[in-house]
């Protein structure tokens, strides 16, 4: 799947997660996956880390970038990483700070738009976490809607507040799940606010095991299709991404959530 996504023009891939396989067995064998990936110029392979032990595992591989992930709400972070937000921030930043200049890392802030257990997440909570990681050397920050609680208005508001706090030198990215059907609407809101980096998954695969009723990320091919229909070049071959999504549906043995893989491209209908 990773090799075909790269072949379609995707240049950044979060390929693995260095988490405890006893807790999340779907993410086992991260090292094996990284070892088998062929290095391609201009392509960046990233791995998710939740703890100092995950960082150590990642550093023993050829991974290009670390995605240091933390939930900014205590309850969710306890379920996801067995630590409070403060404990997780301290552990991760302490382990990451010495890496400056050695291995780049991005701070991925889960529950940035709300927590299913605590409800509202304040901009202060998000900004404090973001500032801690930037101080430790993070060269970018991703605001993640892990549980699908964002809406276009809240997306624009949160981007503005975080950019004001961090300044324009720290690039922001967005990570949306399509739990309540607002994934692409939130992507568009982020794009209109100046963001050009979005996480997505082939066919809409995924979902956090600690997020109630979670579904996968925004579908990669649906997002590429939306931008192409708007006349915005993504650098990704949509036909190849649709073919990959259909292949993934076959491999997974179940119907995936992506829409364009089922309905086809709008341009194809117009030609018909």
């Amino acid at each position: 799947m990773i090799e075909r996504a790269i072949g379609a023009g995707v240049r950044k891939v979060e390929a693995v997660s260095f988490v405890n396989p006893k807790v999340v067995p779907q993410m086992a064998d991260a090292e094996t996956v990284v070892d088998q990936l062929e290095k391609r110029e201009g392509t960046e392979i990233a791995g998710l880390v939740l703890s100092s032990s995950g960082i150590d595992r990642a550093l023993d591989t050829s991974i290009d970038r670390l995605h240091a992930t933390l939930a900014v709400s205590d309850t969710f972070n306890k379920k996801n990483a067995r630590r409070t937000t403060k404990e997780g921030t301290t552990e991760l930043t302490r382990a990451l700070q010495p890496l400056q200049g050695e291995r780049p890392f991005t701070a991925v802030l889960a529950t940035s738009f709300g927590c299913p257990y605590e409800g509202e997440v304040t901009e202060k909570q998000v900004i404090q976490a973001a500032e801690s990681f930037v101080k430790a050397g993070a060269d970018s920050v991703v605001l993640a809607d892990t549980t699908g609680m964002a809406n276009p208005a809240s997306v624009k508001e949160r981007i503005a507040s975080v950019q004001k706090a961090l300044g324009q030198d720290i690039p922001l990215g967005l990570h949306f799940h399509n739990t309540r059907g607002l994934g692409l609407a939130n992507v568009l809101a982020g794009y209109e606010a100046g963001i050009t980096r979005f996480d997505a998954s082939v066919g809409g695969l995924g979902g956090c095991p600690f997020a109630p009723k979670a579904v996968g990320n925004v579908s990669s091919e649906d997002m590429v299709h939306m931008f192409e229909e708007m006349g915005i070049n993504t650098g990704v071959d949509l036909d190849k991404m649709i073919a990959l999504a259909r292949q993934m549906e076959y491999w997974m043995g179940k119907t995936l959530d992506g829409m364009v893989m089922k309905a086809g491209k709008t341009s194809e209908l117009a030609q018909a």
Side-chain angles (χ1 to χ4, degrees):
M1 182 185 74
I2 296 166
E3 289 172 348
R4 287 184 61 170
I6 292 171
V10 177
R11 291 293 167 259
K12 292 187 177 182
V13 179
E14 182 181 89
V16 294
S17 294
F18 295 96
V19 295
N20 189 337
K22 294 180 180 178
V23 179
V24 189
Q26 299 95 324
M27 299 300 171
D29 305 316
E31 288 85 352
T32 303
V33 173
V34 175
D35 287 345
Q36 292 184 9
L37 284 176
E38 180 183 344
K39 282 286 186 180
R40 302 195 192 189
E41 188 175 351
T43 300
E44 186 175 69
I45 302 298
L48 182 150
V49 294
L50 290 174
S51 63
S52 56
S53 60
I55 292 171
D56 290 340
R57 286 177 58 195
L59 293 177
D60 283 337
T61 72
S62 61
I63 207 84
D64 299 313
R65 173 177 291 273
L66 306 185
H67 284 173
T69 302
L70 172 90
V72 295
S73 58
D74 275 337
T75 305
F76 194 94
N77 206 63
K78 285 178 182 177
K79 290 179 179 293
N80 196 44
R82 309 297 189 266
R83 297 161 182 79
T84 65
T85 298
K86 183 177 180 180
E87 290 168 345
T89 303
T90 300
E91 178 180 345
L92 286 168
T93 54
R94 186 175 292 161
L96 290 165
Q97 194 159 12
L99 301 183
Q100 295 185 50
E102 177 186 342
R103 203 85 61 106
F105 64 92
T106 297
V108 182
L109 306 181
T111 62
S112 283
F113 299 93
C115 173
Y117 306 106
E118 297 179 15
E120 180 187 3
V121 169
T122 67
E123 66 178 43
K124 181 180 179 181
Q125 289 173 271
V126 178
I127 290 168
Q128 282 181 337
E131 288 178 334
S132 295
F133 280 99
V134 170
K135 186 177 180 181
D139 63 6
S140 52
V141 172
V142 171
L143 305 180
D145 183 30
T146 321
T147 57
M149 296 176 70
N151 64 69
S154 68
V155 168
K156 290 183 176 181
E157 290 169 2
R158 192 116 301 177
I159 290 169
S161 65
V162 174
Q163 284 183 329
K164 182 179 179 181
L166 299 183
Q168 297 296 322
D169 293 337
I170 302 297
L172 290 186
L174 295 170
H175 173 112
F176 294 120
H177 286 257
N178 202 37
T179 312
R180 292 169 179 83
L182 289 175
L184 279 181
N186 291 331
V187 168
L188 181 57
Y191 181 78
E192 290 175 342
I195 306 301
T196 56
R197 179 259 167 96
F198 302 94
D199 293 350
S201 64
V202 175
L205 278 164
C208 176
F210 306 106
K213 301 180 181 179
V215 301
N217 291 85
V218 174
S219 167
S220 302
E221 65 279 4
D222 288 359
M223 186 171 70
V224 172
H225 178 261
M226 180 184 76
F227 282 127
E228 281 202 1
E229 289 297 310
M230 294 169 62
I232 299 165
N233 180 30
T234 64
V236 177
D237 187 315
L238 179 55
D239 289 322
K240 289 183 178 180
M241 288 301 292
I242 291 173
L244 173 57
R246 290 170 177 163
Q247 180 65 56
M248 285 305 301
E249 188 170 74
Y250 173 75
W251 280 336
M252 298 298 292
K254 66 176 185 177
T255 301
L256 300 187
D257 292 334
M259 301 303 294
V260 178
M261 64 186 288
K262 303 180 184 72
K265 299 185 294 184
T266 305
S267 58
E268 291 174 338
L269 284 177
Q271 291 170 4

